[in-house]
Amino acid sequence: MKYTFIHMTFVLAQVHVYCPNKLALSSSNHCIYTSQTNHLFEHKRKLRPNNTMQSLRYMLASFVILLSIWLTTSVPIEEAFNHCVTQHSQTPNQFPSSIYTSTNGSFTSILESTAQNLRYLLPSVPKPDFIFTPFDDSQVQAAVICAKQLGIHMRVRSGGHDYEGLSYVSLVEKPFMVLDLAKLRAVNVDIAHSTAWIQAGATVGEVYYKISEKSPIHGFPAGLCTTLGIGGHITGGAYGSMMRKYGLGADNVLDARIVDANGNILDRKAMGEDLFWAIRGGGGGSFGVILWWKIKLVPVPQTVTVFTVTKTIEQGGNKLLHRWQQLAPHIDDNLFIRVLIQPGNSSVPGKRTVTTSYNALFLGSANRLLQVMRHGFPELGLTRKDCVETSWIKSVLYIAGYPDGTAPEVLLQGKSTTKAYFKAKSDFVREVIPEKSLNSLWKIFLQDDGPLMIWNPYGGKMSRIAESATPFPHRKGVLYKIQYVTGWLDGEKSMAKHMNWMRKFYFYTAPYVSKYPRETYVNYRDLDIGMNQKNNTSLFKAWSWGYRYFKDNFNRLVKVKTKVDPSNFFRHEQSIPPLPTDKKG
């Protein structure tokens, strides 16, 4: 794509009047826009200060005449962007090394660096025209201003874990760019005030490590996966193994800095409480670019306890899982026991079974944990041998699945070393699934080669926070959340088979999960439940997925969007739509 530049300056009544930054020439994405780097054509004329109409007529006539004779040059989209950003940034000299196009040898490695779902790196999937990796806040600000002026659709990436690739792929719009925040990863911890300012490109693991460096008795209740980018993670809520004690990551945010659709950098006071509410759980990519979060640190014991106990169906797994549903949401708030469900080898040779692994964090000693389990969940049969006492930071590694003995410094690597093709969905469960119903689900579950379900318990603090406190509404009455995942390694060869299985299994679980709406977690994006179209988001269509992610909070999110981004600059396949501005909308 090419952009046409025309360079000019008018001097009227001793005042410089510049032409608009962008003028529509046709239905194509071309623009006319001022430049300070080429020669400036200057025309002067003295006019009486009170002769306003004469001044305007003269300016218009001059523009028409000069427009026909000015030389123009066509430049690639990334050069137009670079030219504009250089003018708007406080650090212009760093730009040439931070814009990557398909002709650049680093383009592919940058694009794939944090992308987790290989489905969205296939050759058939649209690639960005370029990737921009800013070095500071002013460059992010300049990027938003220039993308808006040049009509370039922007996707924003902080970690790349989004399940449908929305931070680095656009299925509905071209041209598009990726604003990759990977270089913005500072973590400034203030133990004296139990707070930290963290940049959006930092990973969850980096945040955890930097906190633990300063104090062994402070933590933060965010994600279990340590390579998540903290910027996008908190925009969806951010749950983790301490949520029953302290709530979500979004529940523990005190302030933020964002770039809005007008290119302004705003903190909590400047953005106002409505926008501050919206960005803490309303999903990423709708309201602005997160630059920083100010988080509240929470106390953790010097000694915590972790364990994993696995039972197959033949070992009474169904009965145990049925009991877990009744107990896990109501047990001691310091205890988080999730269940990882996957295929395993049966005691019968050549036959598969279902294994249930109870993976837990307890904020306290092993002896205290055993007391809680004896009264709260004796059916699991937990013993002292099953329990591992450790520090909070090492419990992070344990829950994330790192091998025993892994040093916490691994969290500073920032990137995940494992990637796969996958499809995921989610559900919230409000009533216990009957034990007799589980076997019918396992029959469908085992039809896939590599399925995984993760059941995460709710209750505790989660039930005591109002549904409207943040956009994340899945609070009181939720027993647990289910995440469904199917993964494969042979690309498009078996993709249809796995995708079809996922949709089939999701259909079969419908009777056992929340209804009206069938609630879904926004950080586990699922395009099966609806998509926006090219810059023409239908509020009616958006309701199909918006109500499932946000319930009644969706209405407030739409109002906030309409106020702060009425032109819908920040948009993607499932972004929050603004209210229509005319009857056709």
Side-chain angles (χ1 to χ4, degrees):
M1 182 174 182
K2 304 289 186 181
Y3 281 83
T4 301
F5 286 77
I6 294 180
H7 312 295
M8 59 185 173
T9 304
F10 288 102
V11 182
L12 299 171
Q14 305 298 320
V15 179
H16 288 74
V17 182
Y18 288 86
C19 71
N21 282 332
K22 184 179 177 185
L23 302 175
L25 293 183
S26 66
S27 59
S28 64
N29 288 319
H30 286 70
C31 70
I32 299 174
Y33 129 110
T34 63
S35 170
Q36 295 175 352
T37 58
N38 290 3
H39 71 279
L40 297 175
F41 187 95
E42 185 176 285
H43 184 78
K44 299 182 178 180
R45 181 181 179 185
K46 290 185 178 180
L47 295 170
R48 292 193 304 273
N50 61 349
N51 197 346
T52 305
M53 287 305 297
Q54 182 181 355
S55 176
L56 290 174
R57 289 192 191 102
Y58 179 79
M59 182 174 70
L60 181 60
S62 299
F63 175 76
V64 171
I65 295 169
L66 294 174
L67 182 61
S68 65
I69 61 174
W70 280 325
L71 297 176
T72 66
T73 56
S74 293
V75 298
I77 181 175
E78 68 275 5
E79 289 185 25
F81 179 82
N82 180 58
H83 178 88
C84 176
V85 169
T86 301
Q87 291 185 319
H88 285 90
S89 172
Q90 297 175 15
T91 52
N93 294 332
Q94 297 185 37
F95 282 117
S97 62
S98 56
I99 295 179
Y100 305 88
T101 69
S102 58
T103 60
N104 186 294
S106 300
F107 177 80
T108 300
S109 63
I110 296 292
L111 177 63
E112 297 181 358
S113 59
T114 59
Q116 293 298 303
N117 195 345
L118 297 179
R119 273 201 298 132
Y120 289 100
L121 294 177
L122 289 166
S124 58
V125 176
K127 303 299 183 291
D129 290 75
F130 64 94
I131 302 168
F132 177 50
T133 57
F135 286 87
D136 61 26
D137 292 0
S138 78
Q139 292 188 353
V140 177
Q141 184 180 27
V144 170
I145 291 169
C146 293
K148 191 171 186 179
Q149 285 184 357
L150 297 172
I152 305 170
H153 181 50
M154 175 184 285
R155 295 297 168 108
V156 183
R157 180 166 76 173
S158 65
H161 276 247
D162 48 335
Y163 281 11
E164 299 283 20
L166 301 186
S167 66
Y168 53 94
V169 170
S170 174
L171 300 176
V172 295
E173 294 196 54
K174 287 281 284 182
F176 78 98
M177 63 168 284
V178 171
L179 179 67
D180 193 326
L181 306 178
K183 292 183 173 122
L184 306 179
R185 52 202 320 137
V187 179
N188 302 320
V189 179
D190 182 355
I191 292 298
H193 295 92
S194 295
T195 61
W197 275 102
I198 51 181
Q199 276 187 302
T203 64
V204 168
E206 287 172 323
V207 173
Y208 291 163
Y209 182 86
K210 295 293 186 180
I211 295 170
S212 72
E213 256 190 334
K214 299 285 187 179
S215 168
I217 56 171
H218 287 81
F220 183 63
L224 296 89
C225 180
T226 59
T227 56
L228 292 162
I230 199 73
H233 180 48
I234 292 178
T235 63
Y239 80 90
S241 56
M242 294 198 293
M243 70 177 186
R244 301 190 64 254
K245 179 71 172 181
Y246 295 116
L248 304 173
D251 298 326
N252 292 275
V253 169
L254 302 172
D255 203 342
R257 286 171 63 84
I258 70 167
V259 178
D260 72 1
N262 296 315
N264 300 311
I265 296 180
L266 309 173
D267 62 7
R268 178 175 182 173
K269 183 178 179 180
M271 75 178 79
E273 289 303 301
D274 281 344
L275 181 52
F276 184 64
W277 174 86
I279 62 176
R280 293 175 297 128
S286 289
F287 302 102
V289 182
I290 303 296
L291 296 172
W292 296 82
W293 293 113
K294 184 181 183 181
I295 60 173
K296 177 177 68 178
L297 308 185
V298 300
V300 296
Q302 276 200 292
T303 300
V304 303
T305 307
V306 293
F307 69 82
T308 302
V309 174
T310 300
K311 302 287 185 181
T312 65
I313 299 304
E314 290 79 5
Q315 295 170 325
N318 277 355
K319 188 176 291 295
L320 194 59
L321 190 58
H322 180 256
R323 189 66 175 144
W324 174 90
Q325 296 178 76
Q326 299 171 315
L327 300 174
H330 307 293
I331 208 164
D332 190 307
D333 290 3
N334 293 292
L335 180 56
F336 173 89
I337 311 175
R338 65 174 180 165
V339 190
L340 284 68
I341 303 171
Q342 51 198 327
N345 294 323
S346 170
S347 55
V348 179
K351 191 173 182 181
R352 293 202 307 167
T353 187
V354 174
T355 66
T356 56
S357 295
Y358 296 81
N359 179 237
L361 168 67
F362 178 69
L363 299 174
S365 67
N367 288 338
R368 174 64 185 140
L369 169 61
L370 290 170
Q371 292 177 21
V372 170
M373 291 294 286
R374 275 195 294 269
H375 291 93
F377 193 12
E379 292 84 355
L380 187 61
L382 188 71
T383 68
R384 181 62 181 83
K385 271 187 186 178
D386 299 318
C387 302
V388 178
E389 290 187 331
T390 187
S391 63
W392 173 74
I393 193 62
K394 289 185 178 178
S395 78
V396 166
L397 300 174
Y398 180 92
I399 295 293
Y402 286 95
D404 291 345
T406 301
E409 284 71 23
V410 72
L411 299 174
L412 298 177
Q413 292 181 1
K415 296 179 184 177
S416 174
T417 56
T418 58
K419 301 183 181 186
Y421 301 88
F422 69 88
K423 174 65 181 176
K425 291 179 177 289
S426 61
D427 267 317
F428 290 87
V429 180
R430 293 178 174 270
E431 295 182 7
V432 172
I433 300 176
E435 184 182 341
K436 64 181 181 181
S437 300
L438 293 174
N439 279 330
S440 61
L441 290 179
W442 303 148
K443 290 177 183 177
I444 310 297
F445 185 71
L446 291 173
Q447 289 177 7
D448 191 58
D449 297 337
L452 170 67
M453 276 197 293
I454 305 174
W455 294 15
N456 293 285
Y458 274 51
K461 181 72 175 284
M462 291 295 293
S463 293
R464 298 190 289 272
I465 298 175
E467 284 193 357
S468 60
T470 70
F472 182 96
H474 319 289
R475 306 281 191 172
K476 188 176 181 180
V478 173
L479 299 179
Y480 56 96
K481 177 177 76 228
I482 300 178
Q483 179 181 185
Y484 314 91
V485 183
T486 178
W488 62 98
L489 295 173
D490 59 357
E492 292 181 285
K493 184 177 180 181
S494 63
M495 183 162 66
K497 179 184 75 171
H498 290 284
M499 298 282 280
N500 290 336
W501 171 85
M502 173 60 78
R503 290 161 182 153
K504 176 182 179 182
F505 189 66
Y506 187 69
F507 173 81
Y508 273 93
T509 58
Y512 310 111
V513 300
S514 60
K515 301 173 182 65
Y516 314 115
R518 184 174 183 175
E519 299 171 54
T520 306
Y521 181 38
V522 68
N523 267 2
Y524 297 158
R525 292 279 185 190
D526 181 8
L527 295 183
D528 288 352
I529 63 176
M531 284 176 57
N532 295 329
Q533 299 302 313
K534 181 179 179 180
N535 198 21
N536 187 26
T537 303
S538 162
L539 185 60
F540 177 77
K541 289 182 179 178
W543 183 266
S544 67
W545 49 261
Y547 194 53
R548 294 173 68 162
Y549 288 142
F550 307 112
K551 299 179 69 176
D552 288 338
N553 292 333
F554 180 68
N555 296 324
R556 184 177 174 187
L557 288 169
V558 169
K559 291 178 182 177
V560 175
K561 173 71 172 182
T562 305
K563 179 180 178 182
V564 303
D565 185 16
S567 65
N568 203 24
F569 173 73
F570 291 110
R571 61 188 183 271
H572 55 70
E573 286 77 0
Q574 285 189 341
S575 58
I576 302 295
L579 289 168
T581 55
D582 53 46
K583 293 182 181 180
K584 292 182 180 179

